[in-house]
Amino acid sequence: MRGCVYLVGAGCGRADLITLRGLRLLQCCDVVVYDDLIDRHLLEAAPQAAERLYVGKRLGRHSTPQEEISRLLVKKALEGKVVVRLKGGDPFVFGRGGEEMEALLSAGIPCEEVPGITSAVAIPAAVGIPVTHRGVSRSFHVITGHTFDERGEPAGGWGSLANLEGTLVFLMGLANLEGIADGLLSAGKRAETPAAVISSGMGPRPVAVRAPLAQLAEKTRAAELKAPAIILVGPTAALDFSATVEHPLSGVRVGVTGTAGLRQKLQELLTGLGAVVETAAGLTVEELPLPLRLEDLCAGRSPWLVFTSANGVNIFFRKARREGLDLRRLAA
């Protein structure tokens, strides 16, 4: 029996930025294979019995090689599992989703990509920078910031980027910030070109340094920004369309406890009021042996079936499904 794999983009930042389709797949999967930059509340949306496998990668600290991740996806699908490969941003925008798709197709595994909001657009927007704006920038270009050639240049040289109109968005390039700025300046980009570096864009409080291109590296290092970060170069970096809606709990962090279902309800209410919600302590419900044969309930001798909690209801009907009980036999 073969399962299938969904490459799901989780979007950037809060858990509620995932698409409805991605969330529905997550809620009924057997296995979740997830990365670093994922809101942990998303993992609670998966079924309690689902297997959760961490394969995160960061620059200089690779938890799991890409080839091993691809083999893991194939292995779990061959076990007959429905697998959600949960990736930050969009799987096909520097997320190596294409490599995983190739491996799955080669192995004959049914697979599908579910788009997510790419960090190239979402993180600048989080600090009020649009990547396009009428009359200012009619295009944007997304460039990897850490895979240059042996001369420290992108494919086609710095001139190919410096001569582009619109907004340049460099992902994963903080370690090469000086080289990026110097390369663009040496290729003719104007020193006063607006630019920005955004750090912690996945978190509740992203930090942005804005400066002319010639001063960007110096001001960013002085601010001690940390990776992961996004670099923007172009006229829209001078704009500030930051959100002005005020929420009652903006800036407040709230720790919640309880079962996944209870925490999810609290999270939805609190985040709607602007709070940042963290799991302070979690409870899980464990199914104990039931001293009752479900078959005995079908004889009609007991006119009542009483549940003392929502968890009891869930456990009873899971057991009924496992045992193949036709619920119509409980009519009496």
Side-chain angles (χ1 to χ4, degrees):
M1 182 174 64
R2 291 196 175 190
C4 60
V5 177
Y6 295 95
L7 306 184
V8 176
C12 299
R14 298 189 333 185
D16 59 1
L17 290 176
I18 193 172
T19 64
L20 283 174
R21 175 162 177 74
L23 181 60
R24 287 167 182 158
L25 291 169
L26 187 59
Q27 289 171 334
C28 60
C29 68
D30 301 310
V31 181
V32 186
V33 181
Y34 66 98
D35 284 340
D36 259 307
L37 302 177
I38 299 294
D39 186 331
R40 291 303 189 265
H41 290 109
L42 276 176
L43 299 179
E44 295 185 354
Q48 183 176 327
E51 190 176 3
R52 291 158 172 80
L53 302 173
Y54 169 73
V55 293
K57 299 191 293 293
R58 289 281 187 93
L59 183 63
R61 180 178 60 81
H62 284 203
S63 171
T64 310
Q66 184 59 48
E67 295 76 12
E68 189 173 331
I69 295 174
S70 297
R71 285 195 295 270
L72 177 64
L73 297 177
V74 171
K75 176 178 179 291
K76 291 299 177 181
L78 289 174
E79 293 174 1
K81 305 292 180 60
V82 175
V83 182
V84 165
R85 173 69 171 106
L86 196 60
K87 305 171 79 71
D90 183 274
F92 286 168
V93 181
F94 295 121
R96 305 189 77 167
E99 297 172 51
E100 294 173 0
M101 188 70 82
E102 286 179 336
L104 293 166
L105 292 172
S106 296
I109 303 298
C111 52
E112 179 182 329
E113 192 263 358
V114 179
I117 306 173
T118 173
S119 60
V121 173
I123 290 180
V127 297
I129 300 177
V131 292
T132 65
H133 186 64
R134 185 174 181 179
V136 179
S137 172
R138 295 189 296 177
S139 64
F140 68 97
H141 313 270
V142 184
I143 307 113
T144 177
H146 71 89
T147 54
F148 300 137
D149 63 21
E150 63 277 0
R151 296 174 300 173
E153 296 187 3
W158 286 111
S160 65
L161 297 180
N163 294 326
L164 289 171
E165 294 185 359
T167 307
L168 303 180
V169 184
F170 293 89
L171 303 183
M172 306 165 288
L174 186 61
N176 296 326
L177 177 57
E178 286 82 359
I180 291 170
D182 292 344
L184 292 172
L185 291 168
S186 65
K189 206 73 170 174
R190 294 168 55 190
E192 63 271 21
T193 301
V197 176
I198 308 160
S199 177
S200 302
M202 298 285 189
R205 297 181 183 84
V207 179
V209 170
R210 300 169 186 252
L213 180 59
Q215 303 172 28
L216 184 65
E218 177 186 355
K219 289 186 177 293
T220 298
R221 299 309 180 200
E224 299 182 343
L225 263 60
K226 305 295 183 184
I230 286 184
I231 302 165
L232 278 90
V233 180
T236 61
L239 301 175
D240 189 354
F241 296 153
S242 299
T244 56
V245 177
E246 295 185 2
H247 299 280
L249 296 181
S250 291
V252 175
R253 295 180 68 202
V254 179
V256 297
T257 66
T259 62
L262 176 59
R263 295 198 306 271
Q264 183 176 0
K265 291 177 183 177
L266 290 172
Q267 179 194 349
E268 291 173 357
L269 291 169
L270 292 166
T271 54
L273 295 172
V276 176
V277 179
E278 306 284 356
T279 298
L283 300 175
T284 59
V285 178
E286 181 178 346
E287 181 176 344
L288 299 177
L290 185 64
L292 172 70
R293 292 178 65 251
L294 296 188
E295 191 67 30
D296 293 341
L297 297 175
C298 302
R301 291 191 297 270
S302 301
W304 289 94
L305 182 58
V306 179
F307 298 97
T308 60
S309 71
N311 291 319
V313 174
N314 292 331
I315 288 173
F316 176 83
F317 283 99
R318 280 204 301 268
K319 180 178 177 63
R321 280 196 299 273
R322 284 199 309 268
E323 297 187 8
L325 177 67
D326 185 341
L327 296 179
R328 290 174 296 186
R329 299 183 62 200
L330 296 176

